[in-house]
Amino acid sequence: MVTKVQKVNPEDFSKEELKEACDILKNGGLVAFPTETVYGLGGDALNPFAASKIYKAKGRPSDNPLIVHIADMEDLYKVADGITENGLKLAKTFWPGPLTLIFKKKEIVPSSVTGGLLTVAVRMPAHAVARELIRQSGVYIAAPSANISGRPSPVRAEHVIEDLDGRIDMVIDGGSAGIGIESSIVDVSGADPVILRPGYITKAMLEKVAESVYTDPVIESRVIRKDIAAKAPGMKYRHYAPKGELVIVEGDIQKVTAKINMLAEEKEKKGCKTAVIATNETKDKYKCSIVKSIGSRKHEASIAAGLYDILREMDYLGAQYIYSESFDNDILGGAVMNRMIKAAAYHIVQA
Ligand code: AMP
Ligand code: MG
C-alpha cells in the first residue's frame, strides 16, 4: 500500500482538500490526521473492519480500546448511553477540546472498538481539520494515536510516516499538533468522575465543574502496581518509549545536574552513546556530548509540546543511554511525568 501525504493548512483550507480523505474513511480505510493533542489514526468507528485495520497497522493489543471522535454534541447521544449529569456538564464545558470522556456504550458501537468493554471513550476535538473531517465524511472516527504501539506518540506528520508508511491509506499533514500530549481521560460512567489518564485538562479544572473528582491510583504511582489493574487498559502497556534506556533523575536541580553528569560520564567512558534531556535553563550545565533541551521551565506548555519530539530525536541520534531531569512542576507536570515515567519503565533515581 502507498501512503498518500496530503498537506492541509489548518488555518485556511477548503472542503475539497479533504474530499479524498473522507472517501477513504467512508470506504473503511485509514487516515491519520492532526488534532490539538497528537496525530490520530482514524477509521470509521461503526465499522468493525476499519477498527481491526487500526489495530493491525499499529500492532496494538486488541484489548486496548479506541477513542471515538465526534464533531457535534448530538453525536454523543448516538454512541453513548445513560449519559450522567457530570458527564454532560464536563462535555459542555470542555468540548471541543483535549478531554476524553468514558460513558456506557450504545449497541451500535462495535465491541472491537471498545476492546470488549461495555463503555466507550468519546472526544470532540477542537482542531479545525479533525472536526471538518468528521463532519464531511459523516462517520464518527475511531482514532488512537498514529504511532506503532509502544512508540512515542506522533506530534508531526513526519512522525506518522516514520511509523506507519505503507500501512495506512493517507496522512493529512497539518503541521505540529498543538499541545503535544494526549487528551485527559475521565470516566463519567459512574456517579463520580475518575481521572484515568492525566492531560492538559487537569483535576483542578475538572473540579470547577464537577464535585468529587477522583484519580485512578495507578496513574499516581511511581512504581509498577501489579496489585491493581489499570482502568484505562492502555495504561498497563509500556508506552512512549525511546529505543535507548531512559533514566529520570529527581531532586534539587543542582544535585540533579551533578548526578546526571556523573552517570553520563560513566557510560561515555565505556564508549556508549549517551544523551541528556535538559531544559533551556540548564542545558549549559552538562558535559555530555549530546545535550538536548525539551523546552523552557518558564513555559511549561513548551515542555509538554517538546516531550515526544525529544524522545524520537533520541532514536535518530542512536542514544543507548538517556538521562533526563524531572519536570514534575506546576500544572502540566503531572501529565508530562506520567508519560516520562512510563517511557523510562519506572526507572527513577534520586539525586
Ligand atoms: P490512545 O488514543 O492511543 O491514546 O489510546 C486511547 C486510550 O483510551 C487508551 O489508554 C485506552 O485504554 C483508553 N480508553 C479507550 N476506551 C476506554 C474505555 N472504554 N474505558 C477506559 N479507557 C479507555
Ligand atoms: Mg497511544
Side-chain angles (χ1 to χ4, degrees), residues 38 58 60 63-67 69 100 102-103 113-114 117-121 143-147 153 182-183 185 187 196-197 231-235 239-240:
V38 300
K58 278 182 63 92
R60 183 175 176 105
D63 68 343
N64 189 359
L66 312 175
I67 295 171
H69 293 72
T100 296
I102 310 284
F103 296 97
V113 167
T114 65
L117 296 173
L118 297 176
T119 50
V120 61
S145 50
N147 51 285
S153 296
E182 304 84 347
S183 57
I185 302 182
D187 186 348
L196 303 184
R197 177 171 74 186
K231 297 211 184 56
M235 298 304 279
H239 227 170
Y240 322 118

Side-chain angles (χ1 to χ4, degrees), residues 48 59 114 121 282-283:
T114 65
T282 55
K283 64 180 192 310

